Amino acid sequence: MKSSKKECYFAGAYTRLSQDDGDKAESDSIRNQKELIRNFQKSHSEIHIVEEYSDDGYSGVNFERPGFQKMITDIHEKKIDCIIVKDLSRFGRNYIETGKYIEQIFPALGVRFIAINDNYDSAEKRQPGDQIILPFKNLVNDAYSRDLSVKIRSNLNAKRQIGDYVGAFAPYGYKKAEDNKNQLTIDWPAAKVVRRIFQLRIEGKSNAVIADILNQEGIPCPYDYKRHSPDSRNFASGFHGNGEASWSFNAINRILTNEIYLGTMVQGKSTRPNYKIKKTVVIDQEKWIRVKNTHEAIISQRDFDIVQKLAGIDTRISTGEVYLFSGLVLCEKCGDTLIRRTVVRNHTRYTYYGCYDRKRTIKCKGVVIREDDLEQAVLTSIQKHIQTLLDIDKLLKHVDEMPLLKRETDALTELVASAKNELLRYQNLNESLYRDYLEGIVDQDEYLDLRNIYSTNEERLHKSIQELDRKKQQVLNKTSSYQRCIELFREFGNIQKLDRKTLVMLISHISVVSKKKIKICFTYQDEFDDMCYLIQKMKGEHEIWQG
Ligand SMILES: [Zn+2]
């Protein structure tokens, strides 16, 4: 890799902004971008900004932008030999094309390329991994990965743990295996109750209503059940129940939020700071030790996710029964949940969702929609969305299972391997250095110096291996989340009528703009957007996926 800098560069400052790409107007404004570039130039006296190119209102998905094209012309006419952008996404969001410019075209033309916030400068010395990290950054930069980091962190954490159950008693729905007290197996009578509780919740029953139902049917609550189970020999002494003689809101809630039913071992939820302090401290959810697939699941991941989502929806309904759209319809203007109202006019009942306050006066004018209109619009949108996803699925299959992502993982695997080799080399060097020192071939100062250098390198490599593994996991997670998205909607391929469960499963929320306009955010909307974006790039066609 070249690391030689010239004494003087004639630079073009390139800026771009597009609402379509979801750019944040404030931080990404053209003015802010220009300012950032000028500030950068101040500390680089060898760079002279001779031209500024702007594309205001042009998407980064393609390069059909007047400012960009002018810049390329100027490069060919040797007016500039350096390009400065705020970050890669300003330059382009099409990562193959962007990579081609940065990795092939610019080096061939002798153009220095600088992406300030990505810390990328083609004139600087490069680390071995840079070529891949650059396009990778392009890939993740914008369209991807918001919730990934949390998942990955817990995944990695979990790998270090074995996942044996160490609790004194098996959680409700499970029992300890005959042959291994650290292993859980399903306790069917209780597991069926667990499943029923999840089902009732998905159908729209509140925790309190579910508790009532179970109590009326005389189903023993976990505390009673445990007391009569064969597992409970030490029960009286060891188990400090909550004194709940019957099903309660909290008992239901504990079951509905417990990941143990997914087959995931979750331990370490609380700890004692040290042995002197009796008080237990609740640990952040993220730090809980989770190990997946340690035992058989009772609840599917999907049902579990829906229930967690329902818990987040403010249904504002205390009677226990929910309406079709309860908690799912928001005001586009203020973001509040819309209120359902029924009025009788000329002996006919009309039901509306509108933005009202508690006194039933209008909060946001014009934000009101008839329930039957809403239902029809949502049904039609879902049908269209499913059709689009099925088309996407065909296309993805057609193009051989995401070659882009495959290329990324292959490249990352290779990088990990070479980093591991290098690490091994330093470890060997360190060992033979110690031998040389013992045999008097190097003196103490030399030994300490060299050992320091080798160890620093070892540390650096350890870190970069970890980082590369993390990135690879990100890419892998992405592919499987696309599949999850497609599979979910495929199941509803023939949907003709809406019900509560379908809505909760397929829709994140609905924003009402006016009586004629709604916006729908679907489940896995990010994945959907990503796939559309990927396909745009692969096909080079933009029309198909609009609308
Ligand atoms: Zn409002």
Side-chain angles (χ1 to χ4, degrees), residues 229-247:
S229 81
D231 231 17
S232 63
R233 260 163 290 150
N234 306 317
F235 184 73
S237 59
F239 186 80
H240 303 290
N242 306 357
E244 288 160 340
S246 59
W247 290 96

Side-chain angles (χ1 to χ4, degrees), residues 331 333-336 355 363-364 367:
C331 169
K333 285 182 188 162
C334 70
D336 278 357
C355 193
K363 238 188 333 180
C364 293
V367 180

Side-chain angles (χ1 to χ4, degrees), residues 245-512:
S246 59
W247 290 96
S248 66
F249 177 95
N250 285 329
I252 300 293
N253 195 48
R254 271 197 298 277
I255 285 174
L256 289 174
T257 54
N258 197 340
E259 289 169 70
I260 202 100
Y261 299 121
L262 293 169
T264 301
M265 189 67 75
V266 186
Q267 294 181 97
K269 291 186 187 178
S270 61
T271 184
R272 291 186 180 163
N274 64 49
Y275 69 98
K276 284 181 187 162
I277 301 173
K278 284 270 164 59
K279 209 179 112 190
T280 52
V281 171
V282 177
I283 299 192
D284 284 353
Q285 279 212 19
E286 273 179 32
K287 290 182 188 155
W288 291 358
I289 300 163
R290 287 186 175 76
V291 189
K292 288 193 173 173
N293 305 320
T294 56
H295 52 274
E296 209 179 326
I298 293 177
I299 300 297
S300 74
Q301 180 76 48
R302 183 183 302 160
D303 284 355
F304 189 83
D305 288 347
I306 292 170
V307 166
Q308 306 321 305
K309 199 171 119 188
L310 280 170
I313 296 174
D314 174 17
T315 56
R316 297 192 185 181
I317 284 165
S318 50
T319 55
E321 287 299 330
V322 288
Y323 299 109
L324 186 59
F325 289 107
S326 291
L328 289 169
V329 195
L330 311 179
C331 169
E332 167 75 5
K333 285 182 188 162
C334 70
D336 278 357
T337 312
L338 296 191
I339 306 287
R340 184 178 186 270
R341 286 188 66 182
T342 301
V343 293
V344 179
R345 230 176 266 135
N346 301 330
H347 308 292
T348 314
R349 288 167 71 89
Y350 297 98
T351 305
Y352 294 92
Y353 277 92
C355 193
Y356 307 110
D357 66 14
R358 280 191 195 149
K359 290 175 188 158
R360 299 203 149 195
T361 48
I362 294 170
K363 238 188 333 180
C364 293
K365 218 177 152 215
V367 180
V368 62
I369 191 166
R370 269 175 59 167
E371 193 178 42
D372 47 356
D373 287 346
L374 181 63
E375 198 172 334
Q376 190 51 51
V378 169
L379 178 61
T380 311
S381 304
I382 290 178
Q383 287 165 336
K384 271 190 189 167
H385 191 75
I386 292 173
Q387 195 47 54
T388 309
L389 269 166
L390 293 179
D391 289 345
I392 288 179
D393 189 38
K394 270 183 221 149
L395 266 171
L396 291 182
K397 290 219 168 82
H398 181 67
V399 296
D400 191 23
E401 301 275 319
M402 312 260 195
L404 301 179
L405 298 177
K406 174 96 167 61
R407 206 186 85 171
E408 294 297 336
T409 49
D410 286 355
L412 286 164
T413 309
E414 235 168 75
L415 282 170
V416 170
S418 80
K420 279 184 176 162
N421 271 337
E422 215 187 332
L423 179 63
L424 196 66
R425 196 167 66 84
Y426 278 111
Q427 283 165 343
N428 289 338
L429 279 171
N430 235 340
E431 269 173 38
S432 59
L433 176 69
Y434 186 62
R435 276 198 304 274
D436 289 352
Y437 170 60
L438 290 179
E439 288 168 19
I441 298 170
V442 295
D443 66 26
Q444 193 178 7
D445 284 349
E446 286 172 316
Y447 169 70
L448 290 174
D449 274 358
L450 284 167
R451 195 186 63 174
N452 194 15
I453 291 168
Y454 295 162
S455 304
T456 314
N457 275 309
E458 275 180 37
E459 208 173 294
R460 172 179 65 78
L461 287 162
H462 267 303
K463 270 190 197 144
S464 86
I465 289 168
Q466 267 180 10
E467 178 68 4
L468 290 165
D469 276 336
R470 198 179 59 81
K471 282 179 176 162
K472 195 174 145 190
Q473 197 53 47
Q474 279 187 344
V475 180
L476 291 174
N477 284 358
K478 208 167 288 168
T479 342
S480 59
S481 71
Y482 295 162
Q483 276 315 313
R484 269 205 300 279
C485 171
I486 291 169
E487 292 314 317
L488 170 64
F489 283 93
R490 190 202 302 282
E491 261 180 52
F492 293 86
N494 297 317
I495 181 172
Q496 298 300 330
K497 198 176 173 345
L498 294 180
D499 57 49
R500 175 74 178 166
K501 186 178 172 183
T502 308
L503 269 185
V504 172
M505 284 177 88
L506 300 185
I507 281 177
S508 168
H509 63 265
I510 302 160
S511 292
V512 174

Side-chain angles (χ1 to χ4, degrees), residues 2 83 160 212 293 384 413 439 474 485 513 517 526 541:
K2 266 195 286 183
I83 292 169
R160 299 192 195 105
D212 284 350
N293 305 320
K384 271 190 189 167
T413 309
E439 288 168 19
Q474 279 187 344
C485 171
V513 182
K517 192 173 178 192
D526 285 355
E541 291 172 13

